[in-house]
């Protein structure tokens, strides 16, 4: 069954507590998107490339101009400082950017980061960014994002460059984080297998419309 | 003092003509630009010479102010024209003009009223050349700085946004670009001061000496001018950076490259 969640359609009631509420969000390519993310209930988002998945995540993180209302825990986005908003609503882009020489410089306090959770030793903080593989960058970017202790995770294909063992590590880390801190999560992925593993609720973006696919 | 005849000038002009002809084969566009710039310098300087002659004859503050504002307006246009990607709308013009006004005019006023202390302070023989020197150098600094700011911001968009995503502040997100831009704005005057007297004899001093002034007096004026210029160019660059960075971000701390014109 597909429920179109655009315009005035009501949202399918989940069992958790609504954490992030998006209503009538529109930006350059998206029209009137509404969705709810509940705590400890990861939601997957898929859709053809170019359908606007990244645009949607960027708009929620308030990186692009957008209209509509977005609220976190009942507090409107406009009432929260943009810096605070982005720490609480953490967006992980498909390709991470690194600007300083060493890995550690990209963390607020590398001594407190649990690098071993994604298979790194603590000396990774001293590693040169230029010598990281794309998979290492991707895993470190997840740790960098989680350092802000976000309430909502917006993950844009966080495991696209990883091998099976590391995909499992990242999935487990995110799962533990979401359950442990009762955070919400919107996870963009193309892999049907992954959708089944990580999320009970699935959203599909098609022609700028959001559709919800019932859990089988 | 030996006066220069028109014939003398046309001999010097032959140099430019020869250069334009030589560059025709390498890069014809530059040859055209060179020719136009040479004609412009001859016409503009002749006109300003006539204007100054009239102005010196009846030094009224109103005329001095009018000419100053005209110079500022032209400098503002020049700053805008030198931007590869400029702020669209009035901002493109306004940021440059306001920054030059703040720095050049206040430094000129400071020099005229406090340092030189001429009576009246707006005596065009001092005010106009001083302001011209300040504007010219400030204009260079500001044009370089703004150009560097907007081009760096568009080139490094993804890094700036990566920092914003992680909850960095506007200052943190653009700190390294700010440093580079400030350096770009100040490097010309730093180099000029460092090389003055050893590698190069500054133009103003040379002019005074050629016109028969005592070298030590000419040197004192040149040092004064150098200090004034570094103040003007430095504070002008700071002001342009301040306004430019503010305009690059909006109230929700988004990087707004759509506020720049030109190709992305």
């Amino acid at each position: 069954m597909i429920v179109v969640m655009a315009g005035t359609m009501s949202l399918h009631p989940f069992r958790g507590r609504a954490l992030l509420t998006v209503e009538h969000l529109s930006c350059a390519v998206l029209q009137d998107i509404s969705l709810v993310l509940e705590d400890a209930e990861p939601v997957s988002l898929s859709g053809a490339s170019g359908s606007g998945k990244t645009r949607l995540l960027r708009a929620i993180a308030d990186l692009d101009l957008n209209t509509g209302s977005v609220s976190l825990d009942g507090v409107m986005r406009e009432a929260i400082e943009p810096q605070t908003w982005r720490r609480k609503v953490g967006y992980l882009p498909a390709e991470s950017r690194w600007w300083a020489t060493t890995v550690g410089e990209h963390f607020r306090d590398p001594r407190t980061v649990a690098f071993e959770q994604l298979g790194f030793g603590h000396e990774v903080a001293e590693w040169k960014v230029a010598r990281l593989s794309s998979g290492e960058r991707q895993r470190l970017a997840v740790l960098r994002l989680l350092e802000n202790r976000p309430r909502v995770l917006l993950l844009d294909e966080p495991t696209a460059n990883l091998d099976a063992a590391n995909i499992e590590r990242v999935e487990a880390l995110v799962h533990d984080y979401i359950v442990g801190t009762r955070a919400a999560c919107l996870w963009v992925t193309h892999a049907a297998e992954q959708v089944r593993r990580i999320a009970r609720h699935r959203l599909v973006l098609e022609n700028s419309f959001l559709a919800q696919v019932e859990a089988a | 003092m030996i006066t220069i005849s028109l014939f003398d000038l046309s001999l010097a002009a032959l140099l430019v003509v020869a250069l334009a002809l030589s560059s025709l084969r390498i890069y014809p566009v530059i040859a055209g630009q060179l020719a136009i710039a040479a004609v412009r310098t001859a016409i503009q300087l002749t006109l300003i010479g006539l204007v100054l002659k009239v102005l010196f004859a009846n030094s009224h503050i109103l005329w001095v102010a009018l000419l100053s504002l005209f110079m500022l307006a032209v400098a503002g246009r020049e700053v805008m024209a030198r931007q590869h990607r400029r702020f669209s709308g009035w901002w493109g013009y306004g940021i440059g003009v306001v920054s030059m006004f703040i720095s050049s005019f206040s430094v000129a006023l400071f020099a005229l009223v406090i340092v030189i202390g001429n009576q009246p302070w707006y005596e065009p023989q001092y005010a106009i050349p001083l302001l011209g020197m300040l504007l010219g150098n400030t204009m260079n600094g500001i044009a370089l700085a703004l150009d560097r700011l907007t081009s760096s911001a568009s080139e490094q968009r993804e890094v700036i946004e990566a920092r914003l995503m992680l909850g960095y502040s506007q200052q943190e997100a653009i700190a390294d670009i700010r440093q580079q831009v400030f350096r770009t704005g100040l490097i010309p005057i730093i180099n000029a001061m460092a090389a003055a007297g050893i590698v190069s004899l500054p133009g103003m001093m040379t002019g005074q000496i050629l016109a028969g002034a005592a070298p030590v007096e000419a040197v004192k004026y040149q040092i004064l001018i150098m200090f004034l210029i570094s103040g003007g160019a430095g504070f002008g660059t700071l002001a342009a950076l301040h306004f430019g960075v503010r305009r690059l971000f909006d109230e929700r701390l988004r990087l707004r490259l759509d506020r720049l014109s030109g190709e992305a």
Side-chain angles (χ1 to χ4, degrees):
Chain A
M1 190 187 87
I2 290 177
V3 183
V4 175
M5 298 211 306
T8 54
M9 297 294 290
S10 65
L11 305 177
H12 180 80
F14 295 166
R15 284 174 305 184
R17 191 171 60 94
L19 194 54
L20 183 89
T21 310
V22 176
E23 286 173 300
H24 310 300
L25 180 121
S26 298
C27 64
V29 293
L30 298 170
Q31 293 293 317
D32 204 10
I33 301 282
S34 297
L35 63 91
V36 175
L37 297 180
E38 303 187 335
D39 59 348
E41 280 285 353
V43 175
S44 78
L45 174 65
S46 46
S49 61
S51 59
K53 302 184 295 294
T54 299
R55 293 281 191 164
L56 176 59
L57 265 48
R58 284 179 59 95
I60 296 173
D62 215 5
L63 288 160
D64 292 330
L65 283 182
N66 63 92
T67 58
S69 81
V70 182
S71 58
L72 178 70
D73 245 343
V75 183
M76 293 297 289
R77 183 169 64 183
E78 287 64 34
I80 300 175
E81 289 287 309
Q83 264 180 275
T84 313
W85 177 262
R86 294 193 187 117
R87 283 181 202 182
K88 288 186 170 178
V89 180
Y91 164 53
L92 183 78
E95 201 164 322
S96 63
R97 295 288 156 181
W98 303 81
W99 50 88
T101 315
T102 65
V103 169
E105 291 170 82
H106 298 83
F107 289 81
R108 291 179 199 280
D109 188 358
R111 286 164 305 176
T112 60
V113 177
F115 290 108
E116 67 282 355
Q117 284 174 312
L118 289 185
F120 294 102
H122 225 80
E123 73 286 352
V124 71
E126 309 299 324
W127 287 9
K128 299 266 184 291
V129 166
R131 301 180 64 175
L132 296 175
S133 72
S134 59
E136 286 168 339
R137 285 173 185 237
Q138 201 156 27
R139 284 183 283 151
L140 288 166
V142 172
L143 292 169
R144 183 171 69 172
L145 182 78
L146 292 183
E147 197 191 14
N148 281 334
R149 313 298 295 164
R151 298 292 297 127
V152 179
L153 299 177
L154 307 171
L155 308 176
D156 199 345
E157 304 197 48
T159 60
N161 298 313
L162 303 184
D163 56 33
N166 278 315
I167 290 178
E168 201 172 306
R169 279 191 183 127
V170 170
E171 285 177 4
L173 174 65
V174 171
H175 176 266
D176 291 350
Y177 180 83
I178 291 170
V179 172
T181 65
R182 303 209 62 78
C185 175
L186 186 59
W187 183 313
V188 173
T189 177
H190 286 296
E193 283 302 314
Q194 187 166 51
V195 172
R196 235 163 278 143
R197 284 196 303 272
I198 58 159
R200 272 188 299 167
H201 304 283
R202 298 170 53 190
L203 295 174
V204 179
L205 251 184
E206 246 171 74
N207 304 325
S208 317
F209 279 104
L210 202 55
Q212 185 188 333
V213 182
E214 276 301 292
Chain B
M1 183 184 158
I2 301 162
T3 47
I4 301 174
S5 69
L6 262 181
F7 177 71
D8 299 333
L9 280 183
S10 28
L11 284 180
L14 277 180
L15 259 182
V16 181
V17 173
L19 179 64
L21 289 177
S22 319
S23 54
L24 261 181
R25 275 178 43 203
I26 305 173
Y27 196 176
V29 179
I30 287 290
Q33 284 178 357
L34 180 70
I36 291 171
V39 172
R40 273 186 65 169
T41 206
I43 296 177
Q44 286 163 198
L45 288 180
T46 309
L47 282 179
I48 195 68
L50 295 175
V51 169
L52 288 181
K53 192 177 159 189
V54 176
L55 197 62
F56 287 3
N58 41 102
S59 59
H60 193 279
I61 187 164
L62 198 70
W63 293 115
V64 177
L66 212 63
L67 182 60
S68 308
L69 288 178
F70 175 73
M71 286 158 65
L72 177 69
V74 176
R77 218 200 66 86
E78 191 66 27
V79 166
M80 197 171 77
R82 290 190 202 172
Q83 311 287 310
H84 189 59
R85 295 202 66 187
R86 55 174 163 267
F87 290 97
S88 42
W90 273 95
W91 290 91
Y93 188 69
I95 289 179
V97 164
V98 169
S99 310
M100 279 189 291
F101 180 77
I102 293 174
S103 57
S104 298
F105 278 59
S106 51
V107 170
L109 213 62
F110 162 76
L112 289 171
V113 176
I114 299 172
V115 182
I116 299 177
N118 194 35
Q119 283 297 335
W121 62 268
Y122 54 85
E123 181 80 65
Q125 191 189 338
Y126 291 88
I128 297 299
L130 199 66
L131 188 67
M133 290 249 209
L134 280 169
L135 265 180
N137 287 279
T138 312
M139 177 182 84
N140 277 331
I142 289 176
L144 281 171
L146 280 177
D147 188 47
R148 185 69 185 259
L149 176 68
T150 53
S151 58
S152 302
S154 14
E155 279 159 21
Q156 297 183 45
R157 180 195 143 197
E158 287 175 339
V159 164
I160 299 172
E161 285 195 332
R163 293 181 186 140
L164 292 178
M165 284 164 203
L166 290 168
Y168 282 55
S169 70
Q170 172 182 306
Q171 299 307 342
E172 288 169 320
I174 204 161
D176 47 356
I177 293 181
R178 269 168 66 100
Q179 275 186 355
Q180 285 307 312
V181 168
F182 189 50
R183 182 179 173 278
T184 310
L186 279 187
I187 275 296
I189 182 64
I190 290 176
N191 287 346
M193 285 201 290
I198 304 173
V199 186
S200 66
L201 286 185
M204 189 211 79
M205 188 181 107
T206 317
Q208 268 191 306
I209 294 174
L210 286 179
V216 174
E217 288 308 307
V219 161
K220 281 197 275 185
Y221 262 94
Q222 187 62 51
I223 294 172
L224 172 70
I225 291 290
M226 288 290 206
F227 290 168
L228 295 179
I229 285 174
S230 50
F235 288 115
T237 304
L238 274 182
L241 247 179
H242 174 77
F243 296 125
V245 167
R246 275 183 58 167
R247 185 65 188 157
L248 275 177
F249 295 92
D250 66 12
E251 75 291 349
R252 292 302 295 174
L253 212 57
R254 305 182 190 106
L255 179 64
R256 294 292 301 277
L257 293 180
D258 56 307
R259 288 174 174 173
L260 301 179
S261 65
E263 79 279 26

